[in-house]
Amino acid sequence: MRQLQCILLTSVRARTCSIARVRTYSFRVQFILLTQAIMHTYVTGWEYIVEKHGGKLPVRIKAVPEGTVLPYKNCCMTVENTDPKCFWLVNFLETLLVQVWYPMTVASNSREQKKVILKYLSETSCWKDAKDPNHPDNAVNFKLHDFGFRGVSSVETAGIGDAGHLTQFLGT
């Protein structure tokens, strides 16, 4: 990083170019310095956690059990800091933990769609024996397949969304 910083400074001094280009280089140098300062702060913070807490994160995470159906306007989890010197840690962890939003949303949508499909299968089905493989309770598992791969940004995102869908249906 230091070498890159020196190259940028040298190129600013060596060039006789427009003011806009000099400002761009100046911005890059300031950005690099800021990035180094932030990284240094995090390194200091992580070292503090290792020294003071033996590497264990000083946070308390509370969450509802997996698979719980919650009404809207309820939080699924909370993250609480237990050490004031690690004030930055909650935001860092929430950024990582919020990644569960996508599969939870897909699972919720799939659940609601499954309810609608099951309702109409039950109303229109001629099978009354629950042991019959074509009975609505059994047949519904393969009535909606996941085509989410086509509309996401990566293979990883497709897999994560598909995992949410597979909580309700067996077809991909």
Side-chain angles (χ1 to χ4, degrees):
M1 195 64 98
R2 187 88 172 133
Q3 183 181 9
L4 179 59
Q5 185 179 13
C6 291
I7 291 169
L8 286 174
L9 284 172
T10 305
S11 61
V12 170
R13 290 185 191 127
R15 290 181 185 231
T16 53
C17 55
S18 70
I19 293 173
R21 187 171 286 179
V22 172
R23 284 187 185 149
T24 303
Y25 283 119
S26 175
F27 172 76
R28 287 182 189 160
V29 171
Q30 290 171 1
F31 178 75
I32 290 169
L33 291 173
L34 179 63
T35 304
Q36 286 178 337
I38 290 170
M39 288 173 59
H40 178 68
T41 302
Y42 280 116
V43 169
T44 304
W46 290 115
E47 287 173 349
Y48 172 81
I49 290 170
V50 169
E51 291 169 11
K52 174 84 172 161
H53 300 284
K56 294 181 181 177
L57 299 178
V59 293
R60 186 175 301 116
I61 299 174
K62 296 178 184 177
V64 297
E66 184 176 344
T68 301
V69 178
L70 288 175
Y72 70 96
K73 294 188 179 181
N74 284 292
C75 68
C76 300
M77 71 181 114
T78 61
V79 182
E80 180 184 346
N81 181 19
T82 60
D83 185 339
K85 290 187 178 179
C86 298
F87 60 89
W88 54 270
L89 189 57
V90 171
N91 194 19
F92 179 84
L93 292 174
E94 284 178 340
T95 303
L96 296 174
L97 291 172
V98 80
Q99 298 303 310
V100 300
W101 172 86
Y102 181 61
M104 286 176 16
T105 302
V106 172
S108 296
N109 284 331
S110 294
R111 180 175 179 270
E112 294 305 310
Q113 292 164 352
K114 186 175 187 176
K115 284 189 208 174
V116 171
I117 292 170
L118 191 55
K119 176 186 174 200
Y120 288 104
L121 274 175
S122 297
E123 288 178 8
T124 61
S125 173
C126 61
W127 289 280
K128 302 301 176 199
D129 182 14
K131 293 181 181 179
D132 189 321
N134 293 318
H135 187 272
D137 290 339
N138 301 320
V140 73
N141 292 323
F142 290 96
K143 295 297 183 193
L144 183 64
H145 297 287
D146 179 26
F147 292 97
F149 200 126
R150 297 175 181 179
V152 294
S153 60
S154 68
V155 174
E156 179 185 19
T157 305
I160 292 168
D162 193 41
H165 176 76
L166 288 173
T167 63
Q168 302 299 317
F169 293 98
L170 300 176
T172 58

